[in-house]
Amino acid sequence: MNSKKIRDWLALVANFGAVIGLFLLVHEFRESQNMAKTDASVRRLNQIQEAFVEMAVSETLPEIRVKATTQGVQSLNDVELYRLQTWEESVRRRMRSQYIEFLGGYLDEGTAEQIIRSAVEQLSYWEELGYQLGDNGFDQAIRVEAGR
């Protein structure tokens, strides 16, 4: 009889331990998700800050961008056009990578909407530089927001 009671108590303790273990596992998973989301948001802000610093310290990019926006892209020489196209391509790639983080659940919907709205605002300028919308999810979201 004593051995049955001991077995019952041990089974109860084991079951209780398993339940506590599951709760701890769920908690750790949630913490991991929260950390990943925070990391994605911080990375996004760091990318934006790095881009602003890069533009600010460049000796030619600000001048080229101002020239393109005030006089038109056709006013740029080949080297200026190449530099601006390369810069804007890096901007689009940063935005696309951030949108991919949203699709993966690491950025909130408001941030994704802001990214797409910013891309739509730049779309005619990018098209003037020769960029065409593709079939990837980011470009499709731009197309939808732009009503195309």
Side-chain angles (χ1 to χ4, degrees), residues 59-105:
E59 293 187 23
T60 57
L61 267 175
E63 186 178 307
I64 293 170
R65 196 157 200 281
V66 168
K67 182 178 178 183
T69 56
T70 59
Q71 299 175 26
V73 171
Q74 72 282 354
S75 68
L76 302 177
N77 65 39
D78 290 343
V79 173
E80 291 171 330
L81 180 60
Y82 176 77
R83 289 198 73 188
L84 190 57
Q85 286 172 327
T86 302
W87 169 258
E88 293 299 335
E89 179 62 25
S90 72
V91 169
R92 281 192 304 280
R93 286 178 188 237
R94 278 190 298 267
M95 293 172 97
R96 183 176 176 198
S97 74
Q98 293 162 5
Y99 188 75
I100 290 169
E101 287 181 317
F102 159 71
L103 293 176

Side-chain angles (χ1 to χ4, degrees), residues 96 99-100 103 116 134-144:
R96 183 176 176 198
Y99 188 75
I100 290 169
L103 293 176
I116 296 301
D135 291 329
N136 62 70
F138 177 63
D139 287 353
Q140 289 174 357
I142 294 170
R143 189 177 287 112
V144 167

Side-chain angles (χ1 to χ4, degrees), residues 11-114:
L12 181 63
V13 168
N15 288 335
F16 187 68
V19 169
I20 288 174
L22 285 174
F23 280 119
L24 290 174
L25 181 65
V26 168
H27 175 73
E28 285 297 317
F29 180 73
R30 285 183 183 165
E31 284 299 309
S32 174
Q33 289 288 59
N34 289 338
M35 288 177 66
K37 287 179 181 182
T38 300
D39 184 54
S41 294
V42 169
R43 252 192 338 270
R44 176 178 182 271
L45 293 175
N46 286 339
Q47 288 174 344
I48 293 169
Q49 179 181 354
E50 288 171 11
F52 280 127
V53 168
E54 189 176 333
M55 177 63 84
V57 299
S58 173
E59 293 187 23
T60 57
L61 267 175
E63 186 178 307
I64 293 170
R65 196 157 200 281
V66 168
K67 182 178 178 183
T69 56
T70 59
Q71 299 175 26
V73 171
Q74 72 282 354
S75 68
L76 302 177
N77 65 39
D78 290 343
V79 173
E80 291 171 330
L81 180 60
Y82 176 77
R83 289 198 73 188
L84 190 57
Q85 286 172 327
T86 302
W87 169 258
E88 293 299 335
E89 179 62 25
S90 72
V91 169
R92 281 192 304 280
R93 286 178 188 237
R94 278 190 298 267
M95 293 172 97
R96 183 176 176 198
S97 74
Q98 293 162 5
Y99 188 75
I100 290 169
E101 287 181 317
F102 159 71
L103 293 176
Y106 298 108
L107 289 175
D108 61 276
E109 190 170 342
T111 299
E113 289 171 356
Q114 180 184 14

